[in-house]
Every structure is written in structure tokens, then in C-alpha cells.
């Protein structure tokens, strides 16, 4: 069989990047020729992880040939993947999101309602009796900490906790100290332009028929980020026009206190008020206890769309 | 947690019925309160299986309450499931078909490109270290034989073969003799009206925008079934009108020689000719080597639709 390309979603986060590496490694153990790829730049958090563990970043690609063999990790939607996803041969999907993909053929599709794709991969390694070496364990651990904000996000399950416990032992990393350093590395926005900040972790979703981008930025200080509010809003308005969006939500998530400040623009911004029972003042409101886009934002907005 | 209802698709076949029993048993081993259900009558093949193994049929249901906890086996489509599937809480899906379902929330979704749902369940029992007792093994074995026509269908994978080998040992059943008796029991059409024959294993699918029903009837003699051709056609025309179909395909599959005689009616019948390079004469043609609706019919028709 031809080479298999393994990749996560556009605007890759730590889970997408590490899962592509870990899944490619899994396929190699099965005797397949697989290569980890990525559909976008490495963010600062992931950069910290790869540097710390001494692991090379996956190869950057922007397209694949029609008919290519691919494995998707950490996503199963057309919007977040390569443009010609409907023309390639999807062999497997490993994910932890809602089900969006549709295919005309059966494939290996495994999604579980856990905090992180790496938790599913961890289980698969165990099931197949494959060794999880120190680096692989470090990659898995980093992604779970990242996606669950140190096991504090409501997306966290017992399976994530159990995985973190064992992966900490194998990797020799302390989840608390290493994890907080890693998360903080991801909150350093100093070197980014406004445009870059607005694209760091932007997910494009269609809520019923409301074309939406939800961008999430982690921070240790909401105040610090809000100093740039007017510039951010200007950038958001520009993207709304370019992409013809109905809603742009910027979630500024305080990883220490587990709250998010939202800035919402676009003609459908009202659904944020409706969804959370808040009043947007100057386009912004504090969403107490909201840290998970997947669990506390997308389903709630979908319901109220 | 409330009781979990486990069921397969409408017009249940042996895989749908046995998988609901086997998956409910799996959930009980996880400590959950689960009940196997079915969305339609037991066919003759499945009747043979349940009687032979001394296993009770799942409870017949025609609807579930909004908000109910359900597990889907052997299907993941709205068309083949309960009417209010979008209003229930789908906890898990175990399947081996193409991906059709979409959800607004993450769940445990496991589909694999193998011949039978029971092969996936077999792997899950192994992964969890759950005992496969004699009856469960017999149910699994029966479904794999049924779906793969004794491992001869092109949907058959090495994993199905491996499962059959081990399940034969545990169940004490000989796949060849037991399997052929079971398949033959399923081909006995003597007690059925034409209308019943046309509903035995009818799958409603939409090929791009072509509203289609594909019904498959197994037989040990195509000639025998073709004696009823004009009555069958009359019945098919009636269903086309009732359901406003574009295409009704009746596949009469010779389980001994692995061919299918097709009768195709409806305004889109031409795509059968285009798909297989055959000429329909009096609405019928022999499709050599075609035995699998899933692998040799639905994807080919979809491509040519």
C-alpha cells in the first residue's frame, strides 16, 4: 500500500500535532508506511512540547493528491480538513468530537467522548499491546493536559485521568509543574500580530445555518488580553467580511481561574446572550466557568441557534 | 443511569438481532442496565439461529421516548433507525457501514470496515477481557456467517475469518454445516406473501438524490424465485408508488454460486445498467459475482448516480 498521511485539523493545536505523530507511530507498528503531517503552523504551546521532548514537528502540507490514503486525527469534518477530503481515501479516523463526517464507504472510525484524542490512542496502544515509549508518553500526556486544561475542563473523563496518571510515570514528567509551564508557554501572545492571534485556534463551524468562527485564546490574565480589545474587534470585523460570517466569537480563557471572557461580533451575536443568559456590553461578557469550546460552547450555541 | 436500549436497524437481519443481544450483554458486564430490542420481525434465518442456540428474541419496539439512552448496533443512519433518533441520547454506535450519522455531541462511535458488526464486538470483548460464553459465541458466529455468506462475500476480512475460527471452537459449531443449514433456513420463502418477500431485507437509501430501496433475498435457486417474477414486479411497482421511489432493486442472491439476479424498476433503473455494464431485459439481468449490497452495490450505484 502507498504511504499513509496522518494529520489533524487546520490551525493545529497540541492534540492535533501530537496525535498525528503518535498515530503514525502506531501505523508503523502495524507494518504500514505512515507519515505524520500538519495542516498549519505549530503554536507556541506545541512548540514548547516538541522542544522539551526533542521531537520533530510533522511535515507541513497544504493539500494532498486525489485518491491519497489518509488517516484523520482529532477532527472528522470537511471544514477543518484538507479541501479535497471527499476525493481521498480515508482509512481511519481517531477523534473525540461530535460526528460530522459522512462517507460512501465503510472505514475504521473511532471516536470516544473523552477529553483528548490521545486518550483514545493511549487505549489503542494498550489494546494492541504496543509499547508506549518515553517520548510517545510525553506527547500523549502533553495533549491531554492541553485539551483538558490540566484535567480541570468539564470535558475531562476518568479515562483521561487514568491515562495521565500512567503517562506521567512512563514519561517521568510531573503533570502539574510541566503542565502549567506548557500551558503558560501557550499564552504568550507578545510576538503575534492581531491577525495571528485571531487565527491561533480558530474553529469554523456552522450552527444550523449560522456561519460561525469560534476562536479560543488561553491566557493567565484576561485583563492583559482585553487591553487589545479595540484592535481585536477591528480584526474580527475584517474576518467577518472576508468570510461572510454571521458570528465571530473570541473566547479569552483564563486557564488559572477557569473562566472565559467572550467578545462576540456579527449579526448573530445575540445567540451568545440567549445561550448564556448574559448581556453583551460593548460586545463582551464574562462566561463564568466556561473553558471548553467543545462541551460548553458549540452544543449550547447549536441548541439556541 | 436509566436503562439503555440497544437495537439494530429496521427490517433486522441476523447481525442486527444478535448484535443487540451481544452488546446488551457487554453493557451489563460494564455494570450498566441495558436491554436488547428490535425494530421489526425476526426473519427465518435468525429464527433458526435463536431456536438452535436457545436464546430469546429481543423485545419488539416501534418507538422510544424522547431523551432515552440508546445504543445503535449495525447501523448509523436516520433512515434505518427509530423515527426520533435526533431526539434521543445516543451513547454508543457499533457498526460496520459507511458513516452517515451526524450528532451535536461527542459519543462512543466505533465502526470498522469488516464483514459484520459482531466482528467488532468480538474484538471489544477481547479488549476488555470479557468472557465470550458458548451462547454469545454462537450468536457472534451466526451473524458473521450470515453477513459474509460463509466468508465468501467480498466484504470478508481477515479479522472476520480469525473471529470465526475462534468462535467455532468456543461454540462447538461447525461453520460449514451449521452455517449452510442456517443460510438455507433463511432462503425458505414458502410461507411469505409477495409483499412480505419485498420487505424481508429492504434497505432504503438515498443515492445522491435518487430515492432507492434495495431489497436482497437469499436463495439456493434463482430459478425458483424467478418463477414469481411478474408478481414480484407488480408488488415492486406498488411500493414505488407508495414511497415515491426513483428506483427499486431486488437482488436475488444465489448463496451457493455467489451471483445475483437483479430486478430493477423505477425511473432511475438505468443506473443499474450503467453501473454494471449490463442490459436489463424484461427489467432483469444477472450480476455475476455480486453478493454484497454494501460493497458491490451501494458504492457502485452511488458513483454512477
Amino acid at each position: 500500500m502507498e504511504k499513509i498521511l496522518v494529520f489533524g485539523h487546520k490551525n493545529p493545536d497540541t492534540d492535533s500535532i501530537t496525535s498525528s505523530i503518535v498515530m503514525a507511530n502506531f501505523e508503523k507498528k502495524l507494518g504500514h508506511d505512515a507519515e505524520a503531517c500538519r495542516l498549519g503552523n505549530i503554536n507556541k504551546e506545541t512548540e514548547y512540547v516538541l522542544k522539551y521532548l526533542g521531537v520533530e514537528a510533522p511535515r507541513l502540507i497544504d493539500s494532498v493528491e486525489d485518491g491519497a490514503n489518509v488517516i484523520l486525527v482529532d477532527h472528522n469534518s470537511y471544514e477543518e480538513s484538507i479541501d479535497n477530503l471527499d476525493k481521498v481515501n480515508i482509512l481511519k479516523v481517531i477523534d473525540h468530537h461530535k460526528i460530522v463526517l459522512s462517507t460512501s464507504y465503510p472505514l475504521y472510525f473511532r471516536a470516544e467522548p473523552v477529553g483528548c484524542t490521545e486518550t483514545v490512542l493511549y487505549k489503542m496502544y494498550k489494546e494492541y499491546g504496543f509499547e508506549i515509549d518515553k517520548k510517545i508518553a510525553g506527547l500523549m500526556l502533553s495533549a491531554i493536559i492541553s485539551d483538558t486544561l490540566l484535567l480541570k475542563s468539564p470535558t475531562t473523563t476518568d479515562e483521561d485521568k487514568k491515562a495521565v496518571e500512567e503517562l506521567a510515570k512512563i514519561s517521568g514528567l510531573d503533570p502539574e509543574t510541566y503542565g502549567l509551564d506548557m500551558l503558560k508557554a501557550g499564552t504568550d501572545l507578545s510576538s503575534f500580530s492581531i491577525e495571528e492571534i485571531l487565527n491561533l485556534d480558530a474553529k469554523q463551524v456552522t450552527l444550523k445555518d449560522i456561519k460561525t468562527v469560534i476562536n479560543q485564546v488561553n491566557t493567565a490574565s484576561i485583563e492583559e488580553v482585553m487591553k487589545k480589545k479595540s484592535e481585536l474587534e477591528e480584526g474580527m470585523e475584517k474576518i467577518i467580511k472576508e468570510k461572510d460570517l454571521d458570528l465571530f466569537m473570541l473566547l479569552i480563557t483564563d486557564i488559572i481561574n477557569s473562566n472565559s471572557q467572550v467578545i462576540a461580533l456579527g449579526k448573530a451575536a445575540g445567540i451568545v446572550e440567549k445561550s448564556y443568559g448574559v448581556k453583551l456590553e460593548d460586545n463582551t461578557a464574562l462566561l463564568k466557568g466556561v473553558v471548553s469550546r467543545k462541551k460548553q460552547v458549540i452544543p449550547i450555541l447549536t441548541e439556541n441557534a
Side-chain angles (χ1 to χ4, degrees), chain A residues 246-266:
Chain A
D246 302 304
L247 174 62
F248 192 131
M249 261 180 95
L250 172 63
L251 287 169
I252 303 158
T253 300
D254 178 341
I255 58 167
I256 314 284
N257 300 302
S258 302
N259 295 313
S260 291
Q261 187 77 28
V262 63
I263 302 177
L265 294 179

Side-chain angles (χ1 to χ4, degrees), chain A residues 28-64:
Chain A
K28 282 177 201 156
K29 285 177 186 288
L30 289 174
H32 302 152
D33 183 15
E35 184 190 10
C37 300
R38 62 186 159 97
L39 303 184
N41 293 329
I42 300 283
N43 69 30
K44 292 218 171 179
E45 182 193 275
T46 312
E47 192 182 303
Y48 179 90
V49 171
L50 296 178
K51 200 172 165 191
Y52 194 99
L53 299 172
V55 174
E56 220 179 303
R59 179 165 64 95
L60 179 65
I61 58 173
D62 58 6
S63 66
V64 304

Side-chain angles (χ1 to χ4, degrees), chain A residues 85-100:
Chain A
L85 188 63
D86 58 336
K87 295 197 180 64
V88 301
N89 185 26
I90 308 172
L91 298 174
K92 301 186 185 183
V93 175
I94 317 294
D95 195 14
H96 68 126
H97 294 93
K98 62 180 180 150
I99 313 300
V100 185

